[in-house]
Amino acid sequence: MPARDPQNGHDSGSISQPKPGQEETAATFGAFVRKPGARRVAAGVSGTSGASGAQTPSQSAGGIEPVERRLPDDAVEVGFIADAYGLKGWVKVTPHAHGKSGGDALLTAKRWWLVKRGDCKAVTSLQSKVHSDSIVARLSGCDDRDAALALKGHTVHVARSDFPKLDDEDEFYWVDLIGLDVENEAGVALGRVADMIDNGAHSILRVAYPATGKDGKAFTGERLIPFVGVYVKTVDRAAKRIVVDWDADY
């Protein structure tokens, strides 16, 4: 997954841009973070066999199906097809989050939706495995290199319900944190999680809030709050709220 360094201050009006290959309207990809202080256990991969994470098909393969209706309500964009892989129709997928941090969804989900410029296709993933920093997959109806190349540039979406179950209740997928309201321990509203950032050491909440500049014009400000135990105290998904030890003036 992409990493960028956090910036100090909270009066920035910048808006995050879609990640390379990402649809502008797509739900955020499915990396996960651990609640501060939780034991460091990697999320497991279910439905895979062998060290490579290769899947074996459990149902008869169909072809690539054009989809006229919208994506499932819980569809999450998890990567994009960057290239063909080999000569037998495999595709190379660049995940928005590496395996064990949300990219596992590409290994476990059997149903993928491929989107490019409003064109949507549904396809069955017959086999997938980690290959270096990418994931390679064999898809139903994609039997040669030309067919694989025709899928280049499509974003890959899977249902949130097909994400692997995390090992611990103190682990969270990024997609489940985005949109939650953030307040401090004094009950002061700080904004809403608009995005997540990975700085290599830990995840950071990018909290957006309405603000007014010195010129009286409204803009969207942001607060960058490290997702570490000294700051994040409670994550309550049911209440759609995160409580932090963070002053509104920081």
Side-chain angles (χ1 to χ4, degrees), residues 211-232:
T212 304
K214 293 180 180 180
D215 58 1
K217 294 183 178 180
F219 69 95
T220 300
E222 69 174 26
R223 297 180 170 93
L224 301 179
I225 305 176
F227 198 86
V228 294
V230 67
Y231 300 123
V232 179

Side-chain angles (χ1 to χ4, degrees), residues 47-50 53-59 107 110 125-128 138:
T48 61
S49 61
Q55 293 180 337
T56 55
S58 60
Q59 57 187 44
L107 302 176
K110 300 241 190 287
S125 174
L126 302 176
Q127 191 175 3
S128 60
R138 182 167 66 93

Side-chain angles (χ1 to χ4, degrees), residues 89-109:
W90 286 60
V91 295
K92 181 178 181 181
V93 180
T94 298
H96 292 323
H98 60 74
K100 300 296 184 187
S101 295
D104 291 346
L106 286 162
L107 302 176
T108 59

Side-chain angles (χ1 to χ4, degrees), residues 164-180:
K165 183 178 180 180
L166 295 174
D167 288 344
D168 195 284
E169 62 181 7
D170 286 335
E171 293 177 341
F172 307 92
Y173 282 108
W174 281 13
V175 71
D176 295 333
L177 298 179
I178 292 172
L180 299 190

Side-chain angles (χ1 to χ4, degrees), residues 65-67 69-72 74-79 81 109-116 119-124 154-162:
E65 309 162 18
V67 177
R69 60 183 176 81
R70 57 183 301 215
L71 293 170
D74 66 340
V76 178
E77 184 184 319
V78 291
I81 296 177
K110 300 241 190 287
R111 194 68 162 170
W112 292 10
W113 286 266
L114 310 180
V115 179
K116 185 177 182 181
D119 177 43
C120 184
K121 301 179 178 68
V123 65
T124 298
H154 284 73
T155 54
V156 181
H157 304 247
V158 302
R160 172 63 183 85
S161 57
D162 286 337

Side-chain angles (χ1 to χ4, degrees), residues 17-42:
Q17 298 299 314
K19 295 158 180 74
Q22 186 173 17
E23 294 279 327
E24 291 187 10
T25 58
T28 304
F29 60 93
F32 80 87
V33 292
R34 298 176 182 84
K35 186 177 178 182
R39 57 190 178 88
R40 297 189 63 82
V41 179

